Amino acid sequence: MTHNAIRRAVENDEAVFGASAATFSPTMIEIFGDLGLDFVWLDLEHGGPSPYDSTALEELTRAADVVDIELLVRIPMPEPSIVRKVVDAGVRTVLIPRIETADELRPAVEAAYFSYDGEVGDRGVGIGRGSRWAGYADSHVGDADEDVLVGTMIENERALDNLESILSVPQLGFAFLGPADMEMSMSGGDPLAKHPDAIAEGIDDTLDACLDAGVPAGRILNDPAAAANAVDDGFQIVRIGDDIGAVRQVLGERLATVTAGDD
């Protein structure tokens, strides 16, 4: 009934590429799928519909199904009830932000699974699009855990300090770098402070720790050469752009070109 292409790829040591749909448009999701991207990043932490709005999420997952593309949904906080709501709406890949310790992360990961770390998980059974409206059915409960993928953001100094324990959380599917927030956490109260050496070290340390732990790592790189190099280095989940940025760049360049003679 389901097939999480991101999970299948990273389990086979392959890389996947995606883009953010900051407009949260089903049309844009279809376009990304037609382009051949592997996933659409939906950032519910900073925009979009409420993560508790199953109706809105269902429309986005339907659009993804039409073109066989995965949704990678970042939720606002490590709240188990939000995780359950999102996966029941049909989202298979969930990204947990605002994590500093393994104890904060574990309940959020557990909420996505019927079976967790050798015990009963904390997902629970509900009627929703994730179960194709079947509710409790052997075909759903028995197979759903094989297609869920839960990741965590590594985006602050305390997370860097606790990398080993965070990456050891059972059934953690991937870790995603957040250099911008990492820099903010190092700012000492000055949001304009820059720490390029410390950020580079944090990225390298996170990647090394992920490779050692066997946890796939991801990051954002809009430059194609940099993205390709990141994959060579070992990153497997790479976001290479977004809908708004693409529009601004392409149409901005076109407008500048056609109006160049006006001066």
Side-chain angles (χ1 to χ4, degrees):
M1 290 173 60
T2 63
H3 62 286
N4 188 331
I6 301 177
R7 177 166 171 173
R8 298 294 172 263
V10 298
E11 287 178 341
N12 291 323
D13 294 324
E14 300 170 357
V16 291
F17 300 94
S20 171
T23 57
F24 296 89
S25 164
T27 300
M28 192 57 62
I29 291 172
E30 290 188 64
I31 292 171
F32 284 173
D34 283 338
L35 287 174
L37 290 169
D38 299 300
F39 68 88
V40 181
W41 174 292
L42 297 178
D43 189 357
L44 301 186
E45 182 184 10
H46 295 292
S50 166
Y52 287 110
D53 187 350
S54 294
T55 302
L57 291 173
E58 288 161 11
E59 294 304 318
L60 298 171
T61 56
R62 286 192 185 97
D65 283 350
V66 167
V67 287
D68 197 23
I69 192 171
E70 292 295 330
L71 300 183
L72 192 162
V73 176
R74 180 163 68 177
I75 62 175
M77 64 186 75
E79 172 55 52
S81 64
I82 297 178
V83 175
R84 284 189 290 269
K85 192 83 170 182
V86 168
V87 294
D88 281 346
V91 173
R92 293 187 284 258
T93 303
V94 183
L95 180 57
I96 313 295
R98 308 282 172 184
I99 291 298
E100 296 185 345
T101 68
D103 288 341
E104 293 174 341
L105 177 60
R106 181 178 173 123
V109 179
E110 184 177 3
Y113 288 96
F114 291 114
S115 177
Y116 184 76
D117 196 22
E119 305 289 342
V120 175
D122 194 34
R123 177 171 176 178
V125 180
I127 296 177
R129 193 165 191 277
S131 66
R132 294 298 189 265
W133 312 107
Y136 189 94
D138 291 342
S139 60
H140 171 55
V141 176
D143 297 336
D145 284 357
E146 299 303 314
D147 283 301
V148 170
L149 187 69
V150 182
T152 184
M153 294 294 302
I154 303 296
E155 55 184 345
N156 56 64
E157 285 188 289
R158 194 166 181 211
L160 290 173
D161 292 338
N162 294 313
L163 263 177
E164 185 175 346
S165 60
I166 288 173
L167 296 178
S168 68
V169 169
Q171 291 167 238
L172 177 66
F174 64 100
F176 206 94
L177 268 293
D181 283 334
M182 193 181 296
E183 191 157 59
M184 289 290 290
S185 77
M186 298 176 179
S187 69
D190 180 3
L192 299 180
K194 300 298 180 184
H195 307 274
D197 293 339
I199 296 301
E201 182 179 355
I203 291 172
D204 290 343
D205 289 348
T206 301
L207 178 59
D208 289 343
C210 285
L211 293 174
D212 289 343
V215 175
R219 64 176 305 186
I220 300 170
L221 288 166
N222 293 345
D223 178 74
N229 288 336
V231 172
D232 290 340
D233 290 339
F235 285 97
Q236 291 182 259
I237 303 173
V238 184
R239 200 185 95 187
I240 58 173
D242 64 274
D243 51 358
I244 292 177
V247 169
R248 290 177 66 90
Q249 179 180 343
V250 173
L251 293 185
E253 290 176 355
R254 290 181 185 175
L255 181 61
T257 299
V258 299
T259 60
D262 293 348
D263 296 335

